[in-house]
Amino acid sequence: MTTHEVPQTLMVEGFRARRSFGFGGLSRTATIIAAVVLMADGLIATQAPLSLLATLPVTAAIFGLAAAKRHGMSALSYYWAKVAWKQASRFDATSYRRLLLPHPYALDLPGVGASSTLIKAHDPTSGRAVGVVHNRTTGHMTLTTLLAPGGSLMAPTGAVQSSLRTWSSVLDAMSTDEQVKGASITIQITPGAGEALGDDVAARKDPDAPQLAKRIITELVRTTPHATASVAPWMSVTVDPNATAPADLAEQVAEALRVVDGLDLSGTGTDIERRATDVDLRRIVRSAYDPAVFNARDKEFEDLSWSECGPQAADDGWEEYAHDGGVSISLVLREMPRRPLPYSVLLPLLAPGRYQRRITLSYRVLDPLEGEAVLEREISHAHDRARATAEVKGRAKYSQKADTERAERAAAQVAGGAQVVDWTLMVTVTARRTADLPAARQELARAVKATRGIRMRPAYGAQAAVFAAGLPIGYSPLVKD
């Protein structure tokens, strides 16, 4: 389905990046720092005027980098991160090796997952075991729901509209529940998953079937592992159970289950399979670091400790992440198009390829008061930028006027009951060998380009963190502690 074939009623818009107001392309914070530094240069110059020959060029170069852009961020932030990463790499802080040490937390997951631990709990609603990831630092708990792969491309327009409205009500429920800190939806596509299908066909094959039918089914089974993919979607919700001051860990888990059960996904176009068990979480995490075990049986994951689900060894590079059984590349959202988009815009990213891919949408729904304050501040900043440009050039840029209109339109929607959502898009592709990395990078670049407008960039110096953000380990870059 192309963009032109999507009805106007199924187009979505309203994406806008936050922009602060500052001088000469600087942010508000950078402008304040620039003013303070210039004042310091002036004070020093009153005692040693010749110092301006050294301080002014350095100050101008630094704030020139702050005003310039590189990969959608300030050039100063980019190069500062590059220097910090090289410094960390020099001291082997970007490398991880799992060692048997006497320290009680020596075998935890690496990086952002170090504070997480897995709890096996009982869900009284379904009567089944459920896996709960507990963040020992913040006290937050994350529950994951396994979803059934499906789609709405063939659904009637009315059904899709109803699903979008229902999903909007789910976000509204998140905004009014102070215990829900954030949520993420991940779809993992693993190619070459036809072996299980082949085993199933072999068990059901009729020995008395015609020879032609046997040859056809044998040929299909032979080619299936190279032409199919396993799709595994899940939704993770991060909850703060301590808002009601539960007495112990068991009550915290019960409170987290209660909060997540209150989010009704029925009617969103999503089929709920079940709540993820501790074995499911071990499988997802372990197979992400080592894709070779993706199709292993459940009993092979039952006895794994939470630390054993992580990598044996990993190296966090500037643009790639090497770990057990593969090398991964992660991209993060840089900019959304300013035009309306079809609801199926992410379809190229979800199409199976030669390499395992994870697409993660992370959400943090702002409460109504915070959302209104954010938009009022954005409107003020947009007006200030347009006024400053008009004072210098005689008129404001048309793009600034359009940005102001978008901010005011968003504020009007919030006044009518809509919600403000901080969100981001992350994509990770994993190749089994380092030699396949260029091909995996090219395949991912083609998929992003096929979305026709979504701009993404590598997660420079944060490959391990973005890799972990796509896993149900309780980490989200949008959730505030």
Side-chain angles (χ1 to χ4, degrees), residues 385-446:
R385 283 191 298 270
R387 184 170 56 253
T389 303
E391 291 175 355
V392 175
K393 298 185 176 180
R395 67 174 183 86
K397 295 180 181 178
Y398 186 81
S399 60
Q400 293 176 331
K401 295 180 180 179
D403 185 63
T404 302
E405 292 176 358
R406 284 195 298 271
E408 292 176 345
R409 192 182 311 122
Q413 292 172 348
V414 169
Q419 301 301 326
V420 180
V421 179
D422 277 345
W423 70 281
T424 189
L425 173 65
M426 298 168 285
V427 182
T428 298
V429 62
T430 300
R432 298 290 183 93
R433 303 179 302 166
T434 305
D436 295 333
L437 202 57
R441 195 188 306 271
Q442 186 179 30
E443 178 183 275
L444 184 56
R446 283 198 303 265

Side-chain angles (χ1 to χ4, degrees), residues 48-68:
L50 291 179
S51 65
L52 291 176
L53 296 176
T55 58
L56 283 182
V58 173
T59 301
I62 291 175
F63 289 103
L65 289 173

Side-chain angles (χ1 to χ4, degrees), residues 127-155:
R128 299 178 179 177
V130 61
V132 179
V133 177
H134 180 217
N135 189 314
R136 293 173 299 212
T137 301
T138 63
H140 295 168
M141 293 189 173
T142 301
L143 283 88
T144 300
T145 302
L146 302 182
L147 309 175
S152 57
L153 291 179
M154 302 298 291

Side-chain angles (χ1 to χ4, degrees), residues 71-364:
H71 303 294
M73 67 183 83
S74 70
L76 182 62
S77 298
Y78 174 83
Y79 290 116
W80 181 266
K82 188 81 179 267
V83 171
W85 176 83
K86 286 187 175 180
Q87 187 73 7
S89 179
R90 182 179 302 174
F91 292 98
D92 293 329
T94 58
S95 298
Y96 170 79
R97 301 294 183 269
R98 189 160 69 89
L99 302 174
L100 183 59
L101 299 175
H103 193 280
Y105 296 149
L107 298 181
D108 286 342
L109 294 180
V112 295
S115 60
S116 67
T117 185
L118 180 63
I119 300 173
K120 181 179 180 180
H122 176 75
D123 187 358
T125 304
S126 62
R128 299 178 179 177
V130 61
V132 179
V133 177
H134 180 217
N135 189 314
R136 293 173 299 212
T137 301
T138 63
H140 295 168
M141 293 189 173
T142 301
L143 283 88
T144 300
T145 302
L146 302 182
L147 309 175
S152 57
L153 291 179
M154 302 298 291
T157 300
V160 178
Q161 288 178 311
S162 176
S163 298
L164 293 175
R165 285 193 298 267
T166 305
W167 178 245
S168 177
S169 66
V170 173
L171 295 179
D172 181 70
M174 291 183 185
S175 70
T176 55
D177 192 336
E178 62 178 10
Q179 290 183 273
V180 178
K181 296 303 179 181
S184 65
I185 295 178
T186 300
I187 300 178
Q188 179 172 283
I189 301 102
T190 304
E195 290 85 353
L197 178 61
D199 294 341
D200 183 65
V201 170
R204 299 169 60 183
K205 188 183 296 184
D206 187 353
D208 299 327
Q211 291 299 320
L212 177 61
K214 290 182 179 180
R215 286 198 299 270
I216 292 175
I217 199 66
T218 300
E219 180 65 17
L220 286 174
V221 169
R222 187 183 67 82
T223 58
T224 289
H226 305 284
T228 62
S230 173
V231 181
W234 62 82
M235 178 178 181
S236 298
V237 180
T238 300
V239 175
D240 182 9
N242 298 308
T244 58
D248 54 19
L249 186 62
E251 290 188 10
Q252 293 178 16
V253 173
E255 181 66 14
L257 286 169
R258 184 195 65 78
V259 172
V260 175
D261 285 339
L263 298 176
D264 186 9
L265 297 181
S266 60
T268 61
T270 301
D271 294 329
I272 299 176
E273 186 173 328
R274 56 183 168 81
R275 199 76 75 204
T277 66
D278 57 315
V279 176
D280 294 326
L281 297 181
R282 292 189 186 99
R283 174 189 292 276
I284 292 174
V285 176
R286 183 60 198 148
S287 62
Y289 287 104
D290 187 5
V293 303
F294 179 80
N295 291 314
R297 293 180 172 86
D298 285 348
K299 65 180 182 180
E300 298 184 28
F301 298 96
E302 291 177 353
D303 296 330
L304 285 181
S305 65
W306 187 234
S307 62
E308 291 174 327
C309 297
Q312 300 287 332
D315 293 296
D316 190 7
W318 179 245
E319 293 189 38
E320 67 279 332
Y321 181 50
H323 49 84
D324 298 352
V327 184
S328 296
I329 305 168
S330 296
L331 304 183
V332 294
L333 181 65
R334 173 178 172 178
E335 185 181 11
M336 288 294 291
R338 299 175 183 177
R339 56 181 171 79
L341 299 174
Y343 74 102
S344 56
V345 65
L346 295 181
L347 190 60
L349 288 174
L350 302 176
R354 294 174 55 193
Y355 306 99
Q356 186 185 73
R357 190 184 304 168
R358 276 193 311 280
I359 300 91
T360 301
L361 279 169
S362 289
Y363 298 92
R364 186 178 76 90

